[in-house]
Amino acid sequence: MLLVVAALVALSGCKRTATDAARAVRAYDDELVRAFRMSDSSRVPEVATRQEADRVLVLVDLKASNRLVLDSTLERFEVLSARAAPDGKTAEVDTAERWRYFDRPLDPGRTAGAVILSEMRMRYALVREGGRWKVADVTTLGNEILSGRPRQAADSSREAGSPR
């Protein structure tokens, strides 16, 4: 009987850990929206490892150096699965997300980029750092552009894009 109780406690702990990891992913996505919209990635290290935060910093700085702001909205966020390692030190979260985004120029008179609506399937790898979950790596598993088409500077007829 004691083994059954211990197993149930362990299972509930794993489920809670996975749920906490999924919440950390949502916090990361929310912080991405803020970082790109404000051209300020200073709070990203609160939700991401140093390597991931540095990656975001480069992307935010790239937009800022082109006098653009990525204006994005996370319209739908669904956790498809959340798994924590038995030791509770790492986790993986798969999501389905719908993003609406466009490049908003900072200079008056410049035209905003096309509004893109994209359905994405994402996989987030998380680690425990400083007593909390942080996103360590992000993989795009699928990206279907539902409307709008991003334009590349060199050739406006090419199609590509992602809010990340």
Side-chain angles (χ1 to χ4, degrees), residues 11 18-19 23 34 37 42-43 45-46 51 78 82 85 87 123 138 143 145 150 157 159:
L11 275 176
T19 300
R23 283 190 190 118
R34 191 201 73 75
R37 190 171 287 150
S42 64
R43 291 186 355 200
E46 296 172 19
Q51 181 177 344
E78 178 184 354
D87 65 4
R123 176 166 292 149
V138 181
N143 183 11
I145 297 176
S157 66
E159 298 177 0

Side-chain angles (χ1 to χ4, degrees), residues 51-120:
Q51 181 177 344
E52 179 62 14
D54 286 349
R55 186 184 72 80
V56 172
L57 170 65
V58 168
L59 296 173
V60 168
D61 284 351
L62 180 63
K63 291 287 185 188
S65 70
N66 286 301
R67 306 278 303 141
L68 296 170
V69 170
L70 181 66
D71 203 328
S72 59
T73 303
L74 181 56
E75 293 185 343
R76 185 173 64 85
F77 179 85
E78 178 184 354
V79 174
L80 302 175
S81 66
R83 303 163 298 287
D87 65 4
K89 294 181 181 177
T90 62
E92 192 172 83
V93 177
D94 289 353
T95 64
E97 303 174 14
R98 176 178 285 196
W99 287 89
R100 182 177 306 273
Y101 59 96
F102 68 99
D103 282 329
R104 180 171 41 86
L106 295 174
D107 297 327
R110 281 182 59 197
T111 304
V115 176
I116 310 297
L117 180 62
S118 184
E119 285 283 344
M120 302 179 81

